[in-house]
Amino acid sequence: MYVRRRDIRPLGRKDLEDSVKEQPRKVQGERSVHPRRRIAIGAAAFIGLLAVLYLFLRFVPCRTLTAFCTRQNSTRFYDRNGVLLRLMPLDEGLRREWYDLSDIPQALQQAFINAEDRNFYHHIGVDVASIVRALVQNKQAGRIVSGASTITMQLSRMVWPRTEAVSLKLKVAEMFRALFLEIRLTKKQILELYLNSVPFGFQIEGVGSAAHAFFSRDMQSLSLEQMETLAQIPRRPNDRAPEITFSYPALAPHFVNHVIATYRARGERIPDSLTLALDSALTQYAEKLIQKKLEEYSGARIHNGAAFVLDNLTGETLVWAGNASFEDETHSGQIDGVTVKNQPGSSMKPFLYALALETKFAPSSVLPDIPQDFGGKGVYVPLNFNNRYNGPVRFRVSLASSLNVTAVYVLYKVGLETYMNRLFDLGFDSLKGTEESTGLSIALGSSEVTLEEMVRAFSVFANDGMLVTPRYVKVAPDGQPVQKNRRRVYNADTARILCDILSDESARTLGFGHAAVFDTPYPALFKTGTSNQFQNIIALGSTSRYTVGVWMGNFGGETVVGQTGSSIPAHVVRNLLDNLTRESGAKDFKVPEHYEKKKVCSLSGLAPSPSCPSVSEEYVKKGVALEQCNWHYSENGRVKIHYPSLYQHWAQSKNFLGKSGADGSPLMISYPRNNALYVYDPSLPAGVQAVNVKAVGGSASVARLFVDDEPAGTAEHLFAWNVPLHPGRHTLTVVCGNEQAQISYTVE
């Protein structure tokens, strides 16, 4: 550039001073900040603010989101073999199943992404490009033809449902909520939550429930075309949804209802999917067996029945049939017979006899099946079911033949309180609170318990004395006992002896004859029971692996007409055991470790003498020597019997060869019992009401009776007197030789 010379002049002092004045003064110690550094500091502060905001949004508690993520879903109940039993509806019939994303087919996931949000994996909750495209398309069409909601935004509307009209403010709020969800959840979590919550109309939410409802199949078996159809339904359900044809299953309804009630009673959340221990096919088989028997005995006025099967090793519930038909409204089919309390009758006796072996009796003991009464304030006079008395009966025969009198005798000796405590140990919670009202009749099963309690308790014998807790959910590997699920109630040897007795066909003969239903080709034990008025009939059966119980009767309490009944449910028990052992078989019951079988006299239970006509085998504790039988003796080449004095009165009423009299046993009044209570009826003629006093034992052949110290008569050999009843407290005294026996009784 050309510069004229005259424009150039040298700088003078004034120019320099003016130049210095124009420069800003620098404060001492001050440093200048570069503009780029200022930008960096600002950017760092902004990023820090964003980080704090992110962390706040990431971890701040959000009750609404938490409540949404922890909602109760429709529980899928499966049986042990994967058969769907029920899909539990939610409030007002809504069905919403939960599936992990890994269980939702990849093709179905992609179908929804293609239909709703192609850029799902590439945005942060809001798709700006889709918003711009939607605005242009809607403006060109003059109406809304395209939306811009992402899957995350749709999910935000499920978490925070709209409660006001759509507006720009609401849209912006939904965008921020979508950003919030993207911060709180991973993409997989968002997609999983969306696919399990997306509404399809018709009270259906989630792709799993939609697959069931619209196509009657699981998601995994959907075709690609069906997956595409599902992805289109949420936009316009009424226009695009196929007709609903799916029939929701309702298998094992009593059991599923019980499981649901159990979870709710414990205050526990029911899982989204529950694989139960139940075998639905076997349960249906049990229902058919019960229904067949009900039809066969329809004239006997028997309308209801229930079955329960327990795996002895694992405690798993394999069969739970609450009735033959849940739909039988005429006979209250929806009532669950497994949990209803009924009188079990003689099926309770094994628990008493097992306790007796551990307290007062031995397997070789002989029990008196003779007329006798028991009790104090309330006199209890038991009778056998056939109104006959069998005299001395071995422990084994008494239990297997289910004799009543001997059972009450055993309870009287063992003690009611001791027995009740053992029943509580066995899990009979139904009996709690009944201690004051329970009497000796509980030996015959007069108190009410449930079938589930009965089966669980009966399994203790095959389980070596261990009580297992029933498991409703399949958790244990097949064939493996769950040790923490078991506790000891009886000694192992006690349980093994009971198994031997209850599987002994010959021991049942006295009470039942030869019952073909109990003649199994595999080791099995059985016990039956009937309530006093035949409203309830029950049968229990057990192998080494399984225990089965069947109850039949009427929920309305009507008496079963003309049937003692025990064989009716016994046939159902036998069929179920046959089915259970067909493939797995049944092992032999274990032999007691501390006992050995020895020959005993079939009548006295003592070591047989040369005169004993019949010999049996019985368990005797190792190292214990039995006394030789002194009941049998030979006279003129014939075997005769000398019964102990306890059987004097019974023996005199029998046609037998032998004698019964003084044998050196202590004198005792066998009837009435001490402190007995009688009720006086003044409407009857004087002298009609009397108590039959009986005494046994004594060293002499003559005995004298005193009532309130006044002589009341003499008896020889057979000590028996009739004493008229008079109100008040009275004392009976029997004198025989140098011995004396005394009891008191009251007449009100």
Side-chain angles (χ1 to χ4, degrees):
M1 180 177 66
Y2 176 74
V3 181
R4 289 183 299 178
R5 185 178 179 88
R6 66 171 177 262
D7 293 332
I8 301 174
R9 64 180 180 84
L11 291 174
R13 181 176 180 179
K14 188 176 184 305
D15 294 325
L16 291 173
E17 290 176 352
D18 292 339
S19 175
V20 171
K21 288 180 181 179
E22 291 175 0
Q23 297 296 323
R25 292 186 177 182
K26 185 180 290 187
V27 180
Q28 187 175 5
E30 180 183 358
R31 296 182 180 180
S32 61
V33 180
H34 195 279
R36 290 183 179 179
R37 189 173 182 181
R38 290 177 180 174
I39 294 174
I41 292 173
F46 180 71
I47 292 173
L49 181 62
L50 289 180
V52 172
L53 180 61
Y54 173 85
L55 291 174
F56 176 78
L57 295 177
R58 179 73 175 82
F59 296 107
V60 66
C62 180
R63 294 181 180 179
T64 303
L65 179 59
T66 300
F68 185 83
C69 293
T70 57
R71 294 178 301 170
Q72 177 70 59
N73 296 299
S74 295
T75 301
R76 297 184 304 279
F77 293 95
Y78 295 99
D79 84 339
R80 64 186 302 106
N81 299 312
V83 176
L84 182 63
L85 301 174
R86 184 190 299 184
L87 179 60
M88 184 179 72
L90 301 174
D91 295 340
E92 299 180 357
L94 175 67
R95 283 183 167 85
R96 178 181 61 241
E97 304 172 53
W98 178 270
Y99 292 88
D100 293 339
L101 191 63
S102 58
D103 295 327
I104 301 176
Q106 188 66 38
L108 184 58
Q109 298 178 35
Q110 194 59 48
F112 274 84
I113 291 175
N114 292 340
E116 299 293 339
D117 188 359
R118 292 181 178 273
N119 296 324
F120 172 69
Y121 286 108
H122 307 292
H123 60 64
I124 57 172
V126 179
D127 189 347
V128 178
S130 295
I131 293 175
V132 173
R133 183 179 64 252
L135 290 173
V136 172
Q137 292 176 347
N138 294 339
K139 185 174 182 179
Q140 290 176 347
R143 58 188 178 87
I144 298 177
V145 296
S146 176
S149 292
T150 63
I151 284 177
T152 312
M153 291 176 66
Q154 292 180 47
L155 178 60
S156 74
R157 289 198 293 270
M158 299 176 200
V159 179
W160 294 277
R162 289 173 173 173
T163 57
E164 57 186 82
V166 179
S167 62
L168 179 60
K169 177 183 176 182
L170 179 62
K171 282 286 189 179
V172 172
E174 290 177 351
M175 291 180 185
F176 276 105
R177 288 169 179 166
L179 290 172
F180 174 73
L181 291 178
E182 291 279 347
I183 292 173
R184 294 299 291 262
L185 307 172
T186 66
K187 285 290 186 181
K188 288 185 177 181
Q189 289 174 324
I190 292 172
L191 183 60
E192 182 180 69
L193 200 55
Y194 170 79
L195 291 175
N196 281 290
S197 306
V198 59
F200 287 83
F202 310 101
Q203 294 291 79
I204 300 167
E205 291 183 2
V207 292
S209 294
H212 280 138
F214 298 124
F215 300 112
S216 300
R217 59 183 61 188
D218 294 331
M219 293 179 295
Q220 289 76 10
S221 58
L222 291 174
S223 66
L224 290 176
E225 182 181 358
Q226 290 169 333
M227 292 181 184
E228 294 293 339
T229 301
L230 276 187
Q232 299 298 322
I233 295 175
R235 292 188 178 184
R236 291 197 296 272
N238 291 329
D239 298 333
R240 299 180 178 180
E243 181 181 356
I244 297 178
T245 59
F246 182 62
S247 178
Y248 290 98
L251 301 177
H254 296 98
F255 181 56
V256 175
N257 286 349
H258 182 74
V259 172
I260 293 172
T262 300
Y263 270 92
R264 288 175 176 170
R266 295 173 180 170
E268 298 177 4
R269 175 190 173 93
I270 305 176
D272 299 326
S273 179
L274 206 55
T275 299
L276 303 177
L278 192 86
D279 186 322
S280 60
L282 191 59
T283 297
Q284 289 178 296
Y285 177 63
E287 292 171 347
K288 291 179 181 178
L289 289 174
I290 293 171
Q291 184 62 50
K292 182 179 178 181
K293 284 298 176 184
L294 294 180
E295 293 172 356
E296 184 178 347
Y297 290 92
S298 58
R301 200 167 61 190
I302 178 172
H303 305 300
N304 303 110
F308 181 75
V309 178
L310 191 69
D311 186 319
N312 299 335
L313 294 183
T314 64
E316 291 175 305
T317 299
L318 300 181
V319 170
W320 184 301
N323 205 355
S325 173
F326 189 81
E327 307 301 328
D328 185 5
E329 296 183 1
T330 304
H331 301 111
S332 305
Q334 295 186 11
I335 295 178
D336 190 347
V338 176
T339 59
V340 168
K341 293 189 288 187
N342 291 300
Q343 290 182 351
S346 294
S347 56
M348 288 283 284
K349 290 175 182 174
F351 314 124
L352 170 61
Y353 279 72
L355 176 60
L357 288 178
E358 297 185 351
T359 53
K360 302 282 187 178
F361 297 89
S364 58
S365 295
V366 171
L367 308 177
D369 184 19
I370 57 177
Q372 50 189 315
D373 62 13
F374 304 92
K377 293 184 178 179
V379 176
Y380 180 56
V381 184
L383 295 173
N384 289 325
F385 62 91
N386 57 5
N387 292 320
R388 293 187 339 199
Y389 299 96
N390 301 282
V393 179
R394 286 187 297 122
F395 188 95
R396 170 182 296 269
V397 175
S398 171
L399 172 57
S401 290
S402 201
L403 302 180
N404 289 344
V405 176
T406 49
V408 178
Y409 173 81
V410 169
L411 177 56
Y412 185 76
K413 292 294 185 180
V414 168
L416 180 58
E417 183 178 356
T418 302
Y419 181 48
M420 289 292 288
N421 289 334
R422 184 58 57 96
L423 291 178
F424 295 148
D425 291 341
L426 283 164
F428 285 102
D429 292 340
S430 296
L431 298 177
K432 291 182 176 179
T434 68
E435 295 89 337
E436 294 296 324
S437 60
T438 299
L440 292 173
S441 62
I442 194 175
L444 311 183
S446 62
S447 296
E448 295 182 339
V449 297
T450 69
L451 180 63
E452 182 184 15
E453 290 171 332
M454 286 296 300
V455 172
R456 179 193 179 196
F458 195 71
S459 72
V460 77
F461 303 120
N463 262 337
D464 252 8
M466 302 290 286
L467 183 70
V468 63
T469 301
R471 288 185 176 271
Y472 304 146
V473 178
K474 184 182 178 182
V475 293
D478 287 341
Q480 297 299 317
V482 183
Q483 298 301 333
K484 65 180 180 180
N485 197 38
R486 304 153 70 87
R487 58 184 175 84
R488 181 161 299 285
V489 179
Y490 292 112
N491 295 329
D493 278 357
T494 299
R496 295 176 185 184
I497 292 172
L498 263 289
C499 286
D500 187 78
I501 293 175
L502 295 175
S503 60
D504 186 348
E505 293 183 35
S506 62
R508 299 190 195 105
T509 305
L510 179 63
F512 304 104
H514 179 73
V517 67
F518 301 134
D519 187 9
T520 60
Y522 47 84
L525 56 113
F526 295 93
K527 191 70 190 76
T528 61
T530 306
S531 63
N532 289 337
Q533 300 301 318
F534 304 130
Q535 300 100 326
N536 308 293
I537 49 181
I538 190 172
L540 302 170
S542 187
T543 64
S544 58
R545 180 64 187 271
Y546 304 105
T547 298
V548 179
V550 174
W551 166 87
M552 300 183 79
N554 297 296
F555 291 139
E558 301 91 343
T559 300
V560 177
V561 178
Q563 301 289 335
T564 57
S566 60
S567 64
I568 304 174
H571 279 91
V572 179
V573 170
R574 168 65 188 274
N575 276 278
L576 288 172
L577 286 178
D578 287 348
N579 188 290
L580 287 163
T581 59
R582 187 169 292 120
E583 295 182 2
S584 60
K587 298 179 181 179
D588 290 331
F589 295 114
K590 296 178 181 179
V591 177
E593 293 183 5
H594 302 96
Y595 288 78
E596 58 184 345
K597 276 197 172 180
K598 290 184 177 181
K599 293 186 181 301
V600 298
C601 171
S602 299
L603 180 65
S604 68
L606 301 173
S609 71
S611 299
C612 293
S614 177
V615 176
S616 303
E617 285 193 334
E618 189 53 82
Y619 279 113
V620 178
K621 242 180 187 178
K622 292 179 180 179
V624 174
L626 294 176
E627 295 181 11
Q628 189 175 59
C629 176
N630 57 1
W631 292 29
H632 293 96
Y633 65 98
S634 297
E635 187 176 275
N636 299 325
R638 303 184 68 177
V639 174
K640 295 185 178 182
I641 307 171
H642 185 282
Y643 287 100
S645 61
L646 179 62
Y647 301 97
Q648 279 179 305
H649 296 277
W650 170 83
Q652 291 296 328
S653 66
K654 308 287 290 182
N655 181 19
F656 76 104
L657 292 174
K659 59 185 179 180
S660 177
D663 60 356
S665 59
L667 178 69
M668 64 173 288
I669 299 175
S670 60
Y671 190 90
R673 296 284 178 179
N674 192 33
N675 294 320
L677 174 64
Y678 296 92
V679 177
Y680 181 76
D681 186 351
S683 65
L684 295 177
V688 171
Q689 297 181 84
V691 58
N692 183 237
V693 179
K694 296 178 182 179
V696 296
S699 56
S701 60
V702 178
R704 291 175 295 165
L705 174 67
F706 295 86
V707 178
D708 299 331
D709 296 328
E710 295 293 328
T714 301
E716 293 186 34
H717 301 297
L718 191 63
F719 305 150
W721 304 267
N722 283 323
V723 177
L725 289 184
H726 299 286
R729 179 79 172 173
H730 303 284
T731 300
L732 295 176
T733 305
V734 175
V735 178
C736 180
N738 297 324
E739 296 180 81
Q740 177 178 300
Q742 189 176 80
I743 63 99
S744 296
Y745 67 95
T746 302
V747 180
E748 293 183 349

